[in-house]
Amino acid sequence: MKAHDGMYIDGAWRPAEGRDVIEVVNPADERVIGTVPAGTAEDVDAAVRAARAALRGWSATAPAERAARLAALRDVLAARAEEIAETVTAELGSPLAFSRTVHAGVPIAVAGSYADLAATYAFEEKVGNSTVYHEPVGVVGAITPWNYPLHQIVAKAAPALAAGCTVVLKPAEDTPLTARLFAGAVDEAGLPAGVFNLVTGLGPVAGQALAEHPDVDLVSFTGSTAVGRRIGAIAGAAVKKVALELGGKSANVILPSADLARAVNVGVANVMSNSGQTCSAWTRMLVHRDQYEEAVALAATAAAKYGERIGPVVNAKQVARVLGYIEKGVAEGARLVAGGSESPRERGYFVSPTVLADVTPEMTVAQEEIFGPVLSILRYDDEEDALRIANGTVYGLAGAVWAGDEAEAVAFARRMDTGQVDINGGRFNPLAPFGGYKQSGVGRELGAHGLTEYLQTKSLQF
């Protein structure tokens, strides 16, 4: 076990003697692998003051220079890719191969995309007799979750820095070691002191202090809808801008003309990825009643193959949450066709890949985000019924549509109340805007739309 002391504030690691510590646990074997200091409101205040002091200089830096700094940051992250993957595996439990390709690889690519955007974005434009300037919103308070620890940091910090903002990060307490690696990379890349700051700590203490701080101009939060509502209320009281990426209950709609076997197998893989701990996971599979039992059999077979391939969920609380949902689903009438509510291992926070059939739209497992390796399969009568079910939750983050004809799939997807839809297994695009409708959030991440979140607009008339 390694004790990690200090907060990264104003370009240096500041000692945090006398602070309580947060234990970091490996969810695969329940061993404590390290500790970090539990930051206080005073630590947050010091970090915000450093960010505020650095803002004028960084915002005035030419976009080309900001692009160069972000390119250097990307290069440092790339050089440390294996260390990043091993750290995520240790504190999140993700299989190492997945950590290498997704947890390390994707955020490196995203960091590179913002280095490119910082150099090419039109921060100034002519509109008639006006010159319109797109200026940094100011100091950003970034509060990130544990499920994709580096990706979520980069998806907030990189566009904020590209825009000319300064950042204070409060990472999730379950995965703070990856955040410390990112702070070290920022330092090595040579970003000016105070431009990026890190305070580890608990949400109700450090997170709330960051959201409430009067010198934070924008709060960017990814996490549960319940906490997002709280942050929105805090920010609203101060008329402060927010970017909220919240929960999801995404529908995977398989139309009758689709390749059923491929759609089901890809759908199961999507749900089991990252042990089901993905806000955009397609956790509701919608199948026409004439193909329903075939799809259920295919899904059960596919899920069984993931028994030894997926990692644990993040902690004991999450195990109890996921198993409780499985039990509730069965109690409400769902048919268990794979997995179940018994933990498959004596040690570690593991949940069996689970498939629930005969799920109806009003069941709890069809309405609430479970955040574990659990797939619910629902039947529909026709396309209008499928659309009603797909749109019938408070969420609207992502989804998928499968059809033999791409135009048919696109026509259906255009009527879905959701922010992102994959057509016939479309690939992840790190430049496409990501974010939700309804209670899945406010704002967008990634690409140019993600950069826009951290800008405000000024017009001069001539």
Side-chain angles (χ1 to χ4, degrees):
M1 182 185 78
K2 183 176 181 180
H4 300 271
D5 192 21
M7 313 282 185
Y8 186 73
I9 297 174
D10 203 18
W13 290 100
R14 294 192 177 185
E17 292 94 345
R19 304 291 193 273
D20 291 336
V21 297
I22 298 169
E23 291 186 339
V24 183
V25 176
N26 184 331
D29 58 19
E30 303 179 45
R31 290 185 302 110
V32 177
I33 59 173
T35 62
V36 297
T40 64
E42 289 74 19
D43 296 314
V44 169
D45 183 62
V48 173
R49 283 188 284 108
R52 177 61 62 185
L55 178 62
R56 183 173 294 277
W58 181 247
S59 64
T61 301
E65 174 61 20
R66 298 201 297 265
R69 297 289 188 178
L70 283 168
L73 176 59
R74 174 205 56 208
D75 293 344
V76 173
L77 292 173
R80 296 185 178 185
E82 186 64 16
E83 182 184 8
I84 291 166
E86 291 174 354
T87 301
V88 174
T89 291
E91 63 181 352
L92 183 63
S94 169
L96 187 56
F98 188 80
S99 292
R100 286 172 174 146
T101 57
V102 176
H103 288 296
V106 170
I108 291 168
V110 171
S113 76
Y114 280 111
D116 295 338
L117 270 169
T120 60
Y121 191 86
F123 290 99
E124 178 181 334
E125 59 181 324
K126 294 292 291 184
V127 180
N129 65 306
S130 301
T131 300
V132 179
Y133 298 91
H134 302 285
E135 300 179 341
V137 73
V139 175
V140 173
I143 303 173
T144 56
W146 45 261
N147 59 327
Y148 288 91
L150 183 60
H151 172 65
Q152 295 291 351
I153 291 170
V154 171
K156 298 181 187 307
L161 296 172
C165 298
T166 56
V167 179
V168 178
L169 169 69
K170 203 299 284 184
E173 48 263 37
D174 288 291
T175 54
L177 304 184
T178 303
R180 290 180 64 89
L181 281 181
F182 181 78
V186 165
D187 194 72
E188 185 176 338
L191 270 75
V195 167
F196 174 84
N197 307 271
L198 169 68
V199 177
T200 54
L202 301 175
V205 179
Q208 180 156 331
L210 186 57
E212 291 178 339
H213 201 289
D215 270 342
V216 169
D217 300 295
L218 181 151
V219 181
S220 180
F221 169 78
T222 297
S224 72
T225 297
V227 176
R229 289 193 196 101
R230 172 62 179 155
I231 288 173
I234 291 171
V239 197
K240 184 180 299 187
K241 190 175 180 182
V242 294
L244 304 174
E245 198 268 281
L246 308 176
K249 196 67 185 175
S250 301
N252 178 18
V253 182
I254 304 174
L255 298 176
S257 62
D259 180 337
L260 183 65
R262 180 167 179 259
V264 170
N265 284 323
V266 174
V268 171
N270 176 278
V271 173
M272 302 307 160
S273 177
N274 209 40
S275 302
Q277 300 169 130
T278 303
C279 54
S280 58
W282 311 334
T283 52
R284 294 182 297 145
M285 181 180 288
L286 278 57
V287 184
H288 190 275
R289 64 172 53 255
D290 292 344
Q291 299 173 313
Y292 187 80
E293 290 302 334
E294 182 182 359
V296 168
L298 287 167
T301 299
K305 297 175 182 178
Y306 287 88
E308 297 299 320
R309 291 163 55 184
I310 67 172
V313 295
V314 70
N315 54 36
K317 181 180 178 181
Q318 195 66 14
V319 172
R321 171 187 171 89
V322 176
L323 297 185
Y325 271 110
I326 295 170
E327 292 170 357
K328 192 171 186 65
V330 173
E332 291 181 355
R335 172 169 42 117
L336 184 67
V337 297
S341 59
E342 296 293 331
S343 183
R345 305 189 194 181
E346 291 184 4
R347 191 166 181 80
Y349 306 131
F350 291 89
V351 176
S352 295
T354 297
V355 177
L356 296 172
D358 298 339
V359 175
T360 57
E362 70 278 1
M363 287 183 182
T364 303
V365 294
Q367 291 292 322
E368 297 183 10
E369 187 174 42
I370 298 173
F371 228 60
V374 181
L375 170 65
S376 297
I377 308 182
L378 297 85
R379 55 170 60 83
Y380 66 85
D381 295 323
D382 54 31
E383 283 197 17
E384 292 304 315
D385 191 35
L387 186 67
R388 176 186 63 82
I389 295 169
N391 289 339
T393 75
V394 298
Y395 298 110
L397 186 56
V401 182
W402 300 79
D405 178 65
E406 185 177 284
E408 179 188 7
V410 170
F412 189 96
R414 289 294 305 273
R415 296 199 290 162
M416 293 174 70
D417 297 333
T418 191
Q420 192 171 78
V421 184
D422 294 344
I423 303 297
N424 289 335
R427 294 180 294 109
F428 172 72
N429 180 2
L431 299 179
F434 178 79
Y437 288 21
K438 300 188 285 188
Q439 292 188 29
S440 284
V442 177
R444 293 295 182 267
E445 292 185 331
L446 304 180
H449 291 82
L451 176 60
T452 302
E453 293 294 327
Y454 298 94
L455 296 169
Q456 55 190 347
T457 304
K458 176 187 293 178
S459 66
L460 274 61
Q461 285 61 247
F462 296 89

